[in-house]
PDB file of all heavy atoms in Angstrom:
ATOM      1  N   LEU E 361      45.339 -29.372  -8.290  1.00  0.00           N
ATOM      2  CA  LEU E 361      45.633 -28.187  -9.100  1.00  0.00           C
ATOM      3  C   LEU E 361      46.677 -28.439 -10.185  1.00  0.00           C
ATOM      4  O   LEU E 361      47.045 -27.525 -10.911  1.00  0.00           O
ATOM      5  CB  LEU E 361      46.114 -27.039  -8.192  1.00  0.00           C
ATOM      6  CG  LEU E 361      45.101 -26.589  -7.138  1.00  0.00           C
ATOM      7  CD1 LEU E 361      45.679 -25.487  -6.271  1.00  0.00           C
ATOM      8  CD2 LEU E 361      43.815 -26.120  -7.812  1.00  0.00           C
ATOM      9  N   TYR E 388      37.008 -29.508  -8.344  1.00  0.00           N
ATOM     10  CA  TYR E 388      37.717 -28.838  -9.442  1.00  0.00           C
ATOM     11  C   TYR E 388      39.076 -29.507  -9.705  1.00  0.00           C
ATOM     12  O   TYR E 388      39.606 -30.208  -8.845  1.00  0.00           O
ATOM     13  CB  TYR E 388      37.943 -27.358  -9.118  1.00  0.00           C
ATOM     14  CG  TYR E 388      38.543 -27.122  -7.747  1.00  0.00           C
ATOM     15  CD1 TYR E 388      39.912 -27.232  -7.526  1.00  0.00           C
ATOM     16  CD2 TYR E 388      37.726 -26.808  -6.652  1.00  0.00           C
ATOM     17  CE1 TYR E 388      40.465 -27.035  -6.278  1.00  0.00           C
ATOM     18  CE2 TYR E 388      38.271 -26.606  -5.384  1.00  0.00           C
ATOM     19  CZ  TYR E 388      39.633 -26.720  -5.195  1.00  0.00           C
ATOM     20  OH  TYR E 388      40.186 -26.538  -3.950  1.00  0.00           O
ATOM     21  N   LEU E 429      39.821 -26.142 -14.411  1.00  0.00           N
ATOM     22  CA  LEU E 429      40.417 -24.818 -14.399  1.00  0.00           C
ATOM     23  C   LEU E 429      41.489 -24.806 -15.469  1.00  0.00           C
ATOM     24  O   LEU E 429      42.295 -25.744 -15.566  1.00  0.00           O
ATOM     25  CB  LEU E 429      41.036 -24.520 -13.034  1.00  0.00           C
ATOM     26  CG  LEU E 429      40.082 -24.571 -11.840  1.00  0.00           C
ATOM     27  CD1 LEU E 429      40.854 -24.440 -10.545  1.00  0.00           C
ATOM     28  CD2 LEU E 429      39.029 -23.480 -11.960  1.00  0.00           C
ATOM     29  N   ILE E 454      44.843 -20.673 -13.451  1.00  0.00           N
ATOM     30  CA  ILE E 454      45.897 -21.031 -12.496  1.00  0.00           C
ATOM     31  C   ILE E 454      47.225 -21.235 -13.193  1.00  0.00           C
ATOM     32  O   ILE E 454      47.290 -21.836 -14.281  1.00  0.00           O
ATOM     33  CB  ILE E 454      45.508 -22.293 -11.675  1.00  0.00           C
ATOM     34  CG1 ILE E 454      46.677 -22.704 -10.783  1.00  0.00           C
ATOM     35  CG2 ILE E 454      45.087 -23.455 -12.560  1.00  0.00           C
ATOM     36  CD1 ILE E 454      46.282 -23.534  -9.609  1.00  0.00           C
ATOM     37  N   VAL E 577      45.791 -25.008  -0.052  1.00  0.00           N
ATOM     38  CA  VAL E 577      44.868 -24.285  -0.930  1.00  0.00           C
ATOM     39  C   VAL E 577      43.870 -25.197  -1.621  1.00  0.00           C
ATOM     40  O   VAL E 577      42.755 -24.768  -1.917  1.00  0.00           O
ATOM     41  CB  VAL E 577      45.595 -23.427  -1.993  1.00  0.00           C
ATOM     42  CG1 VAL E 577      46.311 -22.257  -1.343  1.00  0.00           C
ATOM     43  CG2 VAL E 577      46.551 -24.240  -2.815  1.00  0.00           C
ATOM     44  N   ASN E 578      44.246 -26.451  -1.856  1.00  0.00           N
ATOM     45  CA  ASN E 578      43.241 -27.296  -2.501  1.00  0.00           C
ATOM     46  C   ASN E 578      42.283 -27.953  -1.508  1.00  0.00           C
ATOM     47  O   ASN E 578      41.548 -28.866  -1.858  1.00  0.00           O
ATOM     48  CB  ASN E 578      43.837 -28.304  -3.493  1.00  0.00           C
ATOM     49  CG  ASN E 578      45.056 -29.025  -3.004  1.00  0.00           C
ATOM     50  OD1 ASN E 578      45.934 -28.467  -2.358  1.00  0.00           O
ATOM     51  ND2 ASN E 578      45.096 -30.303  -3.282  1.00  0.00           N
ATOM     52  N   TYR E 580      40.382 -25.598  -0.200  1.00  0.00           N
ATOM     53  CA  TYR E 580      39.409 -24.509  -0.347  1.00  0.00           C
ATOM     54  C   TYR E 580      38.228 -24.958  -1.195  1.00  0.00           C
ATOM     55  O   TYR E 580      38.376 -25.800  -2.086  1.00  0.00           O
ATOM     56  CB  TYR E 580      40.060 -23.319  -1.064  1.00  0.00           C
ATOM     57  CG  TYR E 580      41.089 -22.539  -0.281  1.00  0.00           C
ATOM     58  CD1 TYR E 580      41.954 -21.682  -0.945  1.00  0.00           C
ATOM     59  CD2 TYR E 580      41.193 -22.633   1.101  1.00  0.00           C
ATOM     60  CE1 TYR E 580      42.902 -20.933  -0.263  1.00  0.00           C
ATOM     61  CE2 TYR E 580      42.136 -21.886   1.797  1.00  0.00           C
ATOM     62  CZ  TYR E 580      42.993 -21.045   1.114  1.00  0.00           C
ATOM     63  OH  TYR E 580      43.927 -20.313   1.780  1.00  0.00           O
ATOM     64  N   THR E 581      37.062 -24.339  -0.947  1.00  0.00           N
ATOM     65  CA  THR E 581      35.947 -24.499  -1.883  1.00  0.00           C
ATOM     66  C   THR E 581      36.350 -23.765  -3.154  1.00  0.00           C
ATOM     67  O   THR E 581      37.293 -22.954  -3.146  1.00  0.00           O
ATOM     68  CB  THR E 581      34.670 -23.850  -1.341  1.00  0.00           C
ATOM     69  OG1 THR E 581      34.926 -22.435  -1.208  1.00  0.00           O
ATOM     70  CG2 THR E 581      34.264 -24.431   0.001  1.00  0.00           C
ATOM     71  N   LEU E 582      35.619 -24.002  -4.233  1.00  0.00           N
ATOM     72  CA  LEU E 582      35.970 -23.351  -5.495  1.00  0.00           C
ATOM     73  C   LEU E 582      35.930 -21.835  -5.344  1.00  0.00           C
ATOM     74  O   LEU E 582      36.799 -21.127  -5.852  1.00  0.00           O
ATOM     75  CB  LEU E 582      35.013 -23.828  -6.604  1.00  0.00           C
ATOM     76  CG  LEU E 582      35.327 -23.289  -7.998  1.00  0.00           C
ATOM     77  CD1 LEU E 582      36.748 -23.615  -8.424  1.00  0.00           C
ATOM     78  CD2 LEU E 582      34.342 -23.845  -9.010  1.00  0.00           C
ATOM     79  N   ALA E 583      34.948 -21.324  -4.611  1.00  0.00           N
ATOM     80  CA  ALA E 583      34.835 -19.868  -4.427  1.00  0.00           C
ATOM     81  C   ALA E 583      36.042 -19.340  -3.656  1.00  0.00           C
ATOM     82  O   ALA E 583      36.636 -18.317  -4.029  1.00  0.00           O
ATOM     83  CB  ALA E 583      33.543 -19.527  -3.706  1.00  0.00           C
ATOM     84  N   GLU E 584      36.430 -20.055  -2.602  1.00  0.00           N
ATOM     85  CA  GLU E 584      37.605 -19.624  -1.822  1.00  0.00           C
ATOM     86  C   GLU E 584      38.871 -19.702  -2.672  1.00  0.00           C
ATOM     87  O   GLU E 584      39.732 -18.835  -2.613  1.00  0.00           O
ATOM     88  CB  GLU E 584      37.784 -20.526  -0.587  1.00  0.00           C
ATOM     89  CG  GLU E 584      36.746 -20.313   0.484  1.00  0.00           C
ATOM     90  CD  GLU E 584      36.733 -21.440   1.530  1.00  0.00           C
ATOM     91  OE1 GLU E 584      37.233 -22.559   1.249  1.00  0.00           O
ATOM     92  OE2 GLU E 584      36.212 -21.191   2.623  1.00  0.00           O
ATOM     93  N   LEU E 585      38.952 -20.774  -3.459  1.00  0.00           N
ATOM     94  CA  LEU E 585      40.124 -20.945  -4.315  1.00  0.00           C
ATOM     95  C   LEU E 585      40.218 -19.778  -5.300  1.00  0.00           C
ATOM     96  O   LEU E 585      41.281 -19.218  -5.511  1.00  0.00           O
ATOM     97  CB  LEU E 585      40.052 -22.280  -5.068  1.00  0.00           C
ATOM     98  CG  LEU E 585      41.221 -22.508  -6.023  1.00  0.00           C
ATOM     99  CD1 LEU E 585      42.504 -22.819  -5.261  1.00  0.00           C
ATOM    100  CD2 LEU E 585      40.924 -23.640  -7.013  1.00  0.00           C
ATOM    101  N   ARG E 586      39.084 -19.423  -5.887  1.00  0.00           N
ATOM    102  CA  ARG E 586      39.097 -18.322  -6.868  1.00  0.00           C
ATOM    103  C   ARG E 586      39.581 -17.029  -6.224  1.00  0.00           C
ATOM    104  O   ARG E 586      40.310 -16.261  -6.834  1.00  0.00           O
ATOM    105  CB  ARG E 586      37.710 -18.138  -7.488  1.00  0.00           C
ATOM    106  CG  ARG E 586      37.356 -19.249  -8.482  1.00  0.00           C
ATOM    107  CD  ARG E 586      36.313 -18.777  -9.483  1.00  0.00           C
ATOM    108  NE  ARG E 586      35.710 -19.884 -10.220  1.00  0.00           N
ATOM    109  CZ  ARG E 586      36.243 -20.423 -11.323  1.00  0.00           C
ATOM    110  NH1 ARG E 586      37.388 -19.969 -11.792  1.00  0.00           N
ATOM    111  NH2 ARG E 586      35.630 -21.417 -11.930  1.00  0.00           N
ATOM    112  N   ARG E 587      39.186 -16.803  -4.966  1.00  0.00           N
ATOM    113  CA  ARG E 587      39.687 -15.610  -4.263  1.00  0.00           C
ATOM    114  C   ARG E 587      41.200 -15.685  -4.109  1.00  0.00           C
ATOM    115  O   ARG E 587      41.906 -14.724  -4.353  1.00  0.00           O
ATOM    116  CB  ARG E 587      39.025 -15.481  -2.888  1.00  0.00           C
ATOM    117  CG  ARG E 587      37.719 -14.685  -2.938  1.00  0.00           C
ATOM    118  CD  ARG E 587      37.330 -14.151  -1.565  1.00  0.00           C
ATOM    119  NE  ARG E 587      37.019 -15.203  -0.601  1.00  0.00           N
ATOM    120  CZ  ARG E 587      35.881 -15.884  -0.603  1.00  0.00           C
ATOM    121  NH1 ARG E 587      34.947 -15.641  -1.516  1.00  0.00           N
ATOM    122  NH2 ARG E 587      35.646 -16.811   0.301  1.00  0.00           N
ATOM    123  N   PHE E 588      41.696 -16.884  -3.729  1.00  0.00           N
ATOM    124  CA  PHE E 588      43.143 -17.058  -3.601  1.00  0.00           C
ATOM    125  C   PHE E 588      43.843 -16.780  -4.937  1.00  0.00           C
ATOM    126  O   PHE E 588      44.882 -16.126  -5.005  1.00  0.00           O
ATOM    127  CB  PHE E 588      43.478 -18.475  -3.113  1.00  0.00           C
ATOM    128  CG  PHE E 588      44.920 -18.860  -3.329  1.00  0.00           C
ATOM    129  CD1 PHE E 588      45.930 -18.343  -2.520  1.00  0.00           C
ATOM    130  CD2 PHE E 588      45.281 -19.722  -4.368  1.00  0.00           C
ATOM    131  CE1 PHE E 588      47.256 -18.677  -2.740  1.00  0.00           C
ATOM    132  CE2 PHE E 588      46.605 -20.059  -4.589  1.00  0.00           C
ATOM    133  CZ  PHE E 588      47.587 -19.534  -3.766  1.00  0.00           C
ATOM    134  N   LEU E 589      43.231 -17.274  -6.023  1.00  0.00           N
ATOM    135  CA  LEU E 589      43.871 -17.138  -7.332  1.00  0.00           C
ATOM    136  C   LEU E 589      43.883 -15.687  -7.822  1.00  0.00           C
ATOM    137  O   LEU E 589      44.664 -15.325  -8.694  1.00  0.00           O
ATOM    138  CB  LEU E 589      43.174 -18.043  -8.357  1.00  0.00           C
ATOM    139  CG  LEU E 589      43.284 -19.559  -8.078  1.00  0.00           C
ATOM    140  CD1 LEU E 589      42.441 -20.352  -9.064  1.00  0.00           C
ATOM    141  CD2 LEU E 589      44.746 -20.023  -8.130  1.00  0.00           C
ATOM    142  N   GLN E 590      43.025 -14.854  -7.257  1.00  0.00           N
ATOM    143  CA  GLN E 590      42.975 -13.446  -7.659  1.00  0.00           C
ATOM    144  C   GLN E 590      43.890 -12.555  -6.830  1.00  0.00           C
ATOM    145  O   GLN E 590      44.215 -11.453  -7.216  1.00  0.00           O
ATOM    146  CB  GLN E 590      41.527 -12.909  -7.525  1.00  0.00           C
ATOM    147  CG  GLN E 590      40.592 -13.374  -8.625  1.00  0.00           C
ATOM    148  CD  GLN E 590      41.100 -13.044 -10.019  1.00  0.00           C
ATOM    149  OE1 GLN E 590      41.715 -12.006 -10.241  1.00  0.00           O
ATOM    150  NE2 GLN E 590      40.882 -13.961 -10.963  1.00  0.00           N
TER     151      GLN E 590
END
Side-chain angles (χ1 to χ4, degrees):
L361 299 178
Y388 50 82
L429 301 173
I454 175 158
V577 291
N578 45 320
Y580 289 164
T581 63
L582 184 56
E584 289 166 340
L585 178 73
R586 287 204 194 275
R587 271 200 295 284
F588 164 75
L589 296 174
Q590 284 305 324

